Amino acid sequence: MAENNSVIHSAAVIGAGTMGRGIAYLLAQSGIRTVLYNRNGNNLNQAREYILQDLDKRVAQGKISPQKKGEVLANLIFSAEFDAIADSDLVIESIAEQEQTKLEILAAISAGVKAETIIATNTSSLSLNKLATAVAHGERFIGLHFFNPAPLMKLIEIIPAYFTSQSAIQRCQRLVEAIGKQFVVCKATPGFIVNRMARPFYLEGFRLLEENVAQAAQIDSALKAGGRFRMGPLELTDFIGQDINYQVSRQIWQDMQYDPRYTPGHLQRSLVDAGLLGKKNGRSFFTAATAAHTPPAAVEAFPDVLRFHGSHPLFALLQRSAQAVRPALRWEHQPEQPGLGAFIQVDEAFIIKVTDGRTANQLADHSALDVFVVDAALDYADTPYLVAAHNQHARQANKSLFLNLLHSLIPQVEFIKDSPALIVARVIGSLINESVIMVESGVCRREDIDIAAVAGVNYANGIFDWLALLGQKNVKTLLDNMAQLLHSARYYPHYSLLNVPRPALATAP
């Protein structure tokens, strides 16, 4: 087949469900003549009604003009006749995630369109290379993974199969730019970029709950406050649908040869079995889960001396906030200590350490004092909520003194189970490790990971921005300790995170 670098002027979308109608609507808004095909006329009528209602709403809100509404509708053709797709420059298959059905429809598309027509699938979980076997002239087959709702979401994943031509990739890149979206390109790997990169967010949320580390509301609150996530993993899976989220996790786990990093939790499976799917059916396991918030204690006891061993972003902030409460507060700066690293000693009573993956009980073995471990936060100066833990036999007076001190900076501080890496550090460390593994194995570039994180799943920062903020050495130490205490294969840091100097390669004499 001859190379074709022309602009895409016409398209067809196969399937008038939620994703299909959204993709067709997006393309039509961008001035592309678009056929929305579905053999079921009722589905077509529902799609037409949905788009009409949305256009009317946007006109009423002053977001678009009546003329623009007319232009969008003029670009849309709703058809139950398969032949209507024949002259399209691009055909996007967006039917149910059933492999055999997709293979059949892709073969029909291949036989019914021009030889130069690009044929794309919107699959989120099936093998691109298996689906490509149904398409004659495999160089024109590609994955275009849109996110729901397609008109609003900023990202589209472009996934070439083995035989996809560079021309097809470039035409799809130009299309994505023309419709005002961002793209990332990745290998045809399970979950592509977004679903694979973000998998630890959901999996670790459920693991924390299964391990009884904290309540659901505490897990979600900690990640929203300290990690700047818009929703916590448990409330987000409720919003997505527990069945959908679990199925994606299970599919990636199977496709990754049952690698323990992707093992779905038994708790989420039990929710699906029980029909507790979340908002989609109005039955949620988490609706009654509320954190037992501890109000700030009356400031009676307060430190006299803070000794800062080493440095950390939290230390200077805590020094200023504490001194505002007690102007006579004294402080000292001293080097880190072997075995403990950077920490704050409060009077002669206890020490405070930002988690490095070790538990408070472990750290207490290196000190004659009580130990309080606090969770990570991307910005302690603007964090409304923080979790912490203490060693098993910490004195009650020290707990009160610790809370008084932390409340000078953080409005809400709660104790949870003394566990490795607590909540935010554990989740972000896992997300970083997975992203590093993807880049180092050639799935995509660092830039693609960061674009996908911000534009695809609405994280506050790119994953590699987090790595730079937390420091490679600290992330590696965190993961090392998680691997030792939780699961060696699941959390072991990728070798590229090793923080020791690498010896020069030996050369032959």
Side-chain angles (χ1 to χ4, degrees):
M1 186 179 75
E3 289 287 295
N4 185 334
N5 293 300
S6 63
V7 174
I8 291 170
H9 296 288
S10 61
V13 179
I14 310 299
T18 301
M19 282 304 305
R21 75 187 182 196
I23 296 168
Y25 187 19
L26 168 63
L27 295 173
Q29 289 180 76
S30 304
I32 297 172
R33 176 185 172 276
T34 304
V35 173
L36 179 59
Y37 165 81
N38 198 294
R39 64 183 180 183
N40 185 318
N42 288 334
N43 288 353
L44 280 176
N45 290 334
Q46 291 172 5
R48 182 189 291 109
E49 185 63 25
Y50 171 84
I51 291 172
L52 278 170
Q53 287 180 0
D54 190 71
L55 286 169
D56 287 340
K57 178 181 176 182
R58 296 180 70 199
V59 169
Q61 294 173 337
K63 293 181 177 179
I64 61 170
S65 66
Q67 180 182 352
K68 177 63 176 178
K69 170 189 170 182
E71 292 172 356
V72 172
L73 290 175
N75 286 330
L76 273 170
I77 301 167
F78 300 86
S79 180
E81 300 296 326
F82 196 71
D83 290 346
I85 75 170
D87 294 327
S88 303
D89 297 328
L90 166 70
V91 178
I92 302 172
E93 168 277 308
S94 185
I95 64 173
E97 290 285 278
Q98 297 170 356
E99 185 179 272
Q100 187 55 43
T101 307
K102 283 186 182 286
L103 287 168
E104 291 170 3
I105 196 69
L106 287 168
I109 295 168
S110 178
V113 297
K114 302 175 292 186
E116 64 269 23
T117 297
I118 293 178
I119 300 175
T121 177
N122 185 50
T123 185
S124 61
S125 60
L126 299 178
S127 167
L128 257 291
N129 291 304
K130 178 66 177 292
L131 296 179
T133 62
V135 177
H137 303 301
E139 63 271 21
R140 61 179 172 161
F141 179 71
I142 198 166
L144 285 179
H145 184 215
F146 295 75
F147 296 87
N148 189 34
L152 299 181
M153 296 300 286
K154 301 174 184 177
L155 185 75
I156 298 173
E157 292 179 313
I158 298 175
I159 310 101
Y162 280 133
F163 300 108
T164 304
S165 70
Q166 192 62 36
S167 170
I169 297 171
Q170 291 172 352
R171 291 181 71 191
C172 288
Q173 289 174 333
R174 290 200 297 273
L175 170 70
V176 173
E177 290 174 337
I179 63 178
K181 304 296 181 182
Q182 291 180 273
F183 67 81
V184 290
V185 179
C186 71
K187 286 184 178 179
T189 185
F192 310 140
I193 296 180
V194 169
N195 275 325
R196 179 174 164 188
M197 172 205 72
R199 203 53 26 198
F201 182 66
Y202 308 110
L203 295 176
E204 293 302 323
F206 274 99
R207 286 168 186 154
L208 286 160
L209 199 58
E210 290 170 2
E211 295 166 20
N212 197 34
V213 170
Q215 300 174 34
Q218 290 174 312
I219 295 167
D220 286 339
S221 295
L223 286 161
K224 287 188 290 186
R228 296 291 187 230
F229 296 98
R230 294 191 180 184
M231 297 179 74
L234 303 173
E235 61 182 338
L236 183 53
T237 54
D238 243 19
F239 180 80
I240 295 168
Q242 298 297 346
D243 53 341
I244 295 171
N245 186 264
Y246 176 78
Q247 178 55 38
V248 173
S249 292
R250 184 172 178 83
Q251 186 70 54
I252 293 174
W253 178 50
Q254 292 174 340
D255 291 346
M256 294 300 288
Q257 305 300 307
Y258 302 99
D259 187 316
R261 291 204 313 275
Y262 311 104
T263 306
H266 61 81
L267 174 57
Q268 191 175 28
R269 170 61 186 272
S270 72
L271 299 184
V272 176
D273 290 344
L276 295 168
L277 305 183
K279 293 187 180 298
K280 68 186 295 181
N281 70 346
R283 301 184 66 203
S284 172
F285 177 74
F286 302 114
T287 50
T290 56
H293 291 307
T294 305
V299 180
E300 297 173 356
F302 207 78
D304 294 313
V305 182
L306 298 181
R307 295 182 178 88
F308 299 95
H309 292 261
S311 63
H312 188 277
L314 174 62
F315 294 0
L317 292 169
L318 200 54
Q319 176 183 319
R320 287 198 296 269
S321 65
Q323 194 171 25
V325 175
R326 172 159 292 180
L329 178 75
R330 293 181 292 116
W331 67 88
E332 302 171 6
H333 290 277
Q334 300 181 11
E336 294 185 8
Q337 286 187 8
L340 282 175
F343 65 93
I344 304 171
Q345 181 176 323
V346 180
D347 294 335
E348 302 299 329
F350 59 87
I351 68 171
I352 300 173
K353 183 168 176 62
V354 176
T355 181
D356 64 1
R358 290 179 289 178
T359 65
N361 280 318
Q362 275 185 297
L363 292 164
D365 291 340
H366 297 278
S367 172
L369 305 177
D370 285 341
V371 175
F372 292 81
V373 174
V374 300
D375 203 358
L378 298 180
D379 183 4
Y380 287 100
D382 190 30
T383 299
Y385 179 84
L386 191 70
V387 297
H390 54 75
N391 58 298
Q392 186 176 2
H393 300 295
R395 294 172 57 211
Q396 186 58 48
N398 287 341
K399 296 177 191 177
S400 298
L401 187 58
F402 167 82
L403 290 173
N404 287 341
L405 175 60
L406 265 290
H407 282 146
S408 70
L409 175 65
I410 311 290
Q412 184 70 45
V413 181
E414 290 191 318
F415 289 127
I416 62 171
K417 181 179 177 180
D418 182 25
S419 58
L422 301 182
I423 296 174
V424 177
R426 175 168 169 173
V427 171
I428 287 182
S430 298
L431 286 165
I432 290 173
N433 202 34
E434 184 62 31
S435 296
V436 168
I437 290 168
M438 290 174 68
V439 170
E440 292 295 323
S441 57
V443 170
C444 58
R445 305 170 305 155
R446 280 189 173 215
E447 296 87 343
D448 292 321
I449 290 282
D450 284 343
I451 291 170
V454 175
V457 281
N458 292 316
Y459 292 171
N461 304 88
I463 304 292
F464 287 96
D465 292 332
W466 290 341
L467 179 58
L469 178 67
L470 298 177
Q472 182 168 308
K473 178 180 178 181
N474 294 331
V475 171
K476 194 261 182 186
T477 299
L478 183 81
L479 291 165
D480 271 335
N481 288 324
M482 289 166 63
Q484 291 181 37
L485 297 171
L486 292 169
H487 193 297
S488 58
R490 181 171 291 156
Y491 301 105
Y492 193 79
H494 189 270
Y495 62 81
S496 66
L497 286 171
L498 295 178
N499 55 47
V500 295
R502 298 180 184 177
L505 293 175
T507 54

